[in-house]
Amino acid sequence: MQSSQVPRTIETDVVVIGGGSAGVHAALKVQAEGLRVLQVVKGFLGRSGASIFAGNLQLQKTKDPVEEEKFMGIRARYGSSYLNDPDYIKRACRFTEDVFFPEMERRGLYIRRDEQGELVTSSDRKAGNVWAPNQGFSGTMIMEVLRKDALVRKVPLLQESMVTSLLVTAGQVVGVTALDIVRGEFFVIRAKAVIVATGPGNYLATRSTATREQCGNGFAMAYRAGAQMQDLEMQWFHASDIAAPKSWMRLHIYPNPMPVTEKSVRLYGTDREMFFHLGMHPQVKQPYYLQLRYLYNEVKKGNARWHGGYYGGYTHIEPEIMENYSYQSQFFKHLGIDINKDLVELGITWHLTFGGIRTDTHTMASSLAGLYAPGGVGSHGVGSITYVGYDGTVAAEQACERSRRMALPPLPEEQVRSEQQRLHGHLKLKGQAGLLPAQVKKSIREIMSEKMGYVKNESRMASALDDLAEVRERILPRMGLGSVSRTWNYDWVDALDVEDMLDVCELTIRASMQRKESRGYFFREDYPFIDNKNWLKHTVATRVGTDIRFAFTPAAQKFAPENETDDFLTADY
């Protein structure tokens, strides 16, 4: 079904895509600077996406240069295997302490403090986690406070509206196209600057912590527009999420130290013998990838499966700590689990993407003029929700500076018409032998789960590319909708997601094939070594026509040991 109707055009200075911490911080900042802003959210403001799952707020307790440098070295080694920029982490940490916490408490957020008024942390060291108010509930509380602030300040907002493409003229982004999901209207937003803040969480595998809205749309739009993409092979998996029922897969058994203690979750194999606890690596405060390495060995021994057959628990932690400080304890009661006495069967879950749209960490600017990518959709590695707030603030400052010195650029009318035709081309009914878009999404997720999970190798990745090619060539032409109504038609939205998922999944696989080593959350059985000599660098991908061009740039890392090559499964990071 085609449409020749001229789409409605909205004009603004800055358009913000996304309703998480980065997006809301950006929109509030633009409005505070006195410029016009429009925030567009695929789901609901503050109630979908990755930010609501943030359990911890990271805190660096010192600005002493020696202690700060020590902390940055530890963070670089254990937090990103030397791919993050330590100077960016330092700036984000200072924003967290100097701006984020005071601003959030001023807005009315309750952050857990002790009787002396000091922030409750997981330890008394120079860095730790704090909570608002309980572990596992921080993101929900923060986003509720930010959502209300944005509504009270009347930030112009479009919810249940899906941005479908970036409009580019002469190498600069000049606006976006979008679909009003409720009304079924295709429209255009003309802007001087675009802030993409769609987050890092992508529902690209059968088990995922992402919400239904997150299908890599921000990545796909930027990639198709010609923006450079970086380190998409770096995928973060959880080792300690609930195995069953599947609807509970987002319920996380936190591996980080619990509040007011150094104790954390312990992992047990099928034989109920413990194979991992945090005391084995005391400097590591976020041991997610270490859990996966130990779990890999248990799976190889037949003492665990990737999606069950191993267990986690807090049975060694005082019940009053769990009752007073853990928000999630209440949910286990609904499953008939006493978290103080019972072990819980676990499975791995695809969590976040460390890479994304390649950005300058000082400005959040992408390789396309006028496009900014704060937060998890950017390339500087996933931080806490506080870092994401820093990113959104910086992106807004840069977008405002750009907007003040330029007029609204003209729209590329041919791009608009082409995108309108693409969207309306999906308004076709499913044939008798056809598939609904949701069924195609399920097939893509199964391919990625089976062949692009935590353990990778060349043959499985090549097979995954073949499978995705078959989806494009044989399944996509059979895909159709259950209804061609334009009003509130989520089959239509799913069809658009399918195209984005195919692009992002293919790009992820090809980036993974480029990296000939293992590092952090990235593990290749055929290259089981950390290779700082040859691979302390970023993979940078750019779309050229219908092909992908890869380049490699050194990581901005001053702490990494030179020429270090270690066995990935036994190295101390």
Side-chain angles (χ1 to χ4, degrees):
M1 181 182 294
Q2 304 296 320
S3 174
S4 58
Q5 181 180 358
V6 177
R8 175 169 61 102
T9 299
I10 302 172
E11 294 185 353
T12 189
D13 292 317
V14 180
V15 59
V16 177
I17 310 168
S21 179
V24 180
H25 273 91
L28 286 169
K29 180 65 175 176
V30 174
Q31 187 193 61
E33 291 290 320
L35 277 75
R36 296 176 301 167
V37 64
L38 178 61
Q39 187 166 15
V40 187
V41 185
K42 187 180 180 187
F44 293 99
L45 183 68
R47 293 184 173 175
S48 58
S51 291
I52 56 174
F53 292 112
N56 303 311
L57 311 178
Q58 295 176 0
L59 172 67
Q60 179 188 332
K61 295 182 180 179
T62 179
K63 292 180 182 175
D64 174 84
V66 175
E67 291 291 341
E68 190 175 47
E69 196 77 356
K70 181 180 178 181
F71 169 69
M72 293 304 159
I74 292 173
R75 182 66 188 269
R77 184 177 184 90
Y78 297 108
S80 68
S81 293
Y82 301 121
L83 287 184
N84 276 354
D85 179 356
D87 292 330
Y88 159 76
I89 299 294
K90 184 184 295 185
R91 296 192 300 274
C93 283
R94 290 187 174 179
F95 173 89
T96 296
E97 184 176 2
D98 297 343
V99 179
F100 186 89
F101 286 145
E103 279 292 308
M104 293 305 296
E105 287 188 305
R106 182 185 61 78
R107 285 181 166 113
L109 180 69
Y110 170 60
I111 300 179
R112 204 71 182 247
R113 293 182 181 270
D114 61 22
E115 294 178 355
Q116 288 72 44
E118 296 295 325
L119 292 168
V120 171
T121 68
S122 54
S123 69
D124 59 357
R125 299 184 180 181
K126 301 301 182 183
N129 291 317
V130 300
W131 296 272
N134 289 353
Q135 188 182 64
F137 198 38
S138 298
T140 303
M141 291 293 292
I142 288 169
M143 291 316 304
E144 186 63 12
V145 170
L146 289 173
R147 185 184 74 88
K148 289 178 177 178
D149 199 6
L151 294 177
V152 166
R153 295 176 186 276
K154 294 182 170 54
V155 173
L157 173 67
L158 297 175
Q159 299 184 97
E160 291 190 289
S161 295
M162 179 181 181
V163 174
T164 66
S165 74
L166 303 174
L167 298 173
V168 182
T169 300
Q172 66 174 346
V173 176
V174 297
V176 303
T177 61
L179 173 67
D180 182 329
I181 297 170
V182 177
R183 297 172 182 82
E185 178 194 9
F186 174 81
F187 63 99
V188 177
I189 304 172
R190 186 180 175 197
K192 301 174 184 178
V194 176
I195 297 176
V196 177
T198 50
N202 301 312
Y203 202 164
L204 302 178
T206 302
R207 285 179 56 90
S208 170
T209 61
T211 56
R212 77 171 307 280
E213 294 84 8
Q214 296 178 288
C215 295
N217 308 115
F219 293 153
M221 284 187 293
Y223 169 63
R224 287 197 291 261
Q228 293 180 341
M229 310 297 291
Q230 178 173 297
D231 295 342
L232 284 187
E233 72 274 16
M234 292 295 172
Q235 302 292 337
W236 180 353
F237 291 85
H238 278 173
S240 52
D241 289 347
I242 296 290
K246 184 175 181 292
S247 60
W248 288 65
M249 65 184 173
R250 295 181 179 89
L251 186 55
H252 188 39
I253 308 292
Y254 277 102
N256 304 336
M258 294 299 293
V260 302
T261 181
E262 286 291 291
K263 297 177 182 178
S264 65
V265 71
R266 293 174 175 175
L267 299 183
Y268 303 80
T270 302
D271 59 8
R272 300 301 177 106
E273 294 293 323
M274 182 172 61
F275 66 83
F276 180 83
H277 65 92
L278 193 54
M280 299 161 68
H281 300 272
Q283 289 194 94
V284 183
K285 295 306 175 187
Q286 293 180 305
Y288 292 89
Y289 73 87
L290 288 174
Q291 287 182 309
L292 289 161
R293 282 172 22 178
Y294 281 87
L295 177 58
Y296 171 78
N297 290 326
E298 297 304 308
V299 171
K300 294 286 282 187
K301 291 189 297 185
N303 197 35
R305 304 186 310 275
W306 287 113
H307 299 302
Y310 68 102
Y311 305 85
Y314 299 115
T315 57
H316 59 296
I317 297 177
E318 295 83 347
E320 57 269 21
I321 290 179
M322 300 303 300
E323 186 68 26
N324 292 332
Y325 294 102
S326 174
Y327 174 71
Q328 291 172 303
S329 295
Q330 61 183 302
F331 298 114
F332 292 108
K333 296 176 183 177
H334 293 290
L335 290 178
I337 296 171
D338 185 342
I339 197 63
N340 299 309
K341 298 178 181 179
D342 301 330
L343 297 179
V344 182
E345 188 173 15
L346 305 177
I348 70 166
T349 308
W350 191 323
H351 184 42
L352 301 171
T353 303
F354 266 100
I357 303 170
R358 180 171 168 81
T359 53
D360 181 324
T361 61
H362 287 86
T363 64
M364 304 301 145
S366 74
S367 60
L368 293 177
L371 178 66
Y372 304 86
V377 76
S379 63
H380 41 283
V382 177
S384 76
I385 191 172
T386 64
Y387 295 8
V388 167
Y390 167 73
D391 291 359
T393 302
V394 171
E397 291 171 347
Q398 296 297 317
C400 288
E401 181 181 332
R402 174 182 174 83
S403 297
R404 289 190 183 99
R405 55 181 167 81
M406 65 179 296
L408 272 173
L411 287 174
E413 299 295 343
E414 182 55 40
Q415 288 181 40
V416 172
R417 284 192 293 271
S418 177
E419 183 65 5
Q420 187 175 23
Q421 290 173 2
R422 182 179 78 91
L423 265 63
H424 288 102
H426 284 294
L427 280 173
K428 59 182 181 181
L429 287 172
K430 177 182 74 67
Q432 187 173 2
L435 295 172
L436 290 170
Q439 294 173 297
V440 182
K441 290 170 78 169
K442 183 174 182 288
S443 297
I444 295 170
R445 289 168 181 153
E446 288 172 347
I447 293 167
M448 296 301 284
S449 293
E450 179 185 352
K451 298 176 180 179
M452 280 297 293
Y454 172 65
V455 181
K456 302 174 182 66
N457 62 47
E458 188 79 13
S459 62
R460 274 205 296 271
M461 289 189 287
S463 178
L465 284 178
D466 290 341
D467 291 346
L468 291 180
E470 184 173 3
V471 171
R472 284 190 191 273
E473 295 165 11
R474 298 184 57 185
I475 297 180
L476 220 56
R478 294 167 46 207
M479 184 177 74
L481 313 186
S483 165
V484 292
S485 168
R486 300 187 185 189
T487 304
W488 231 323
N489 190 340
Y490 268 93
D491 278 351
W492 194 8
V493 176
D494 285 339
L496 300 175
D497 284 341
V498 165
E499 289 192 317
D500 287 352
M501 289 171 68
L502 284 170
D503 284 346
V504 173
C505 288
E506 179 182 351
L507 185 56
T508 298
I509 297 169
R510 292 195 183 279
S512 300
M513 297 174 85
Q514 297 294 315
R515 187 172 288 277
K516 303 293 196 295
E517 65 152 2
S518 295
R519 178 181 298 273
Y521 296 91
F522 181 78
F523 175 42
R524 287 189 60 162
E525 281 187 311
D526 45 354
Y527 292 96
F529 297 94
I530 302 167
D531 187 356
N532 282 347
K533 180 178 180 180
N534 297 302
W535 283 102
L536 192 62
K537 54 191 177 185
H538 302 293
T539 59
V540 180
T542 309
R543 186 181 188 183
V544 181
T546 59
D547 203 2
I548 306 171
R549 179 180 298 163
F550 283 97
F552 306 95
T553 62
Q557 186 53 248
K558 57 187 177 183
F559 294 106
E562 293 183 7
N563 301 331
E564 188 172 65
T565 302
D566 284 331
D567 183 333
F568 177 73
L569 294 173
T570 59
D572 188 32
Y573 68 97

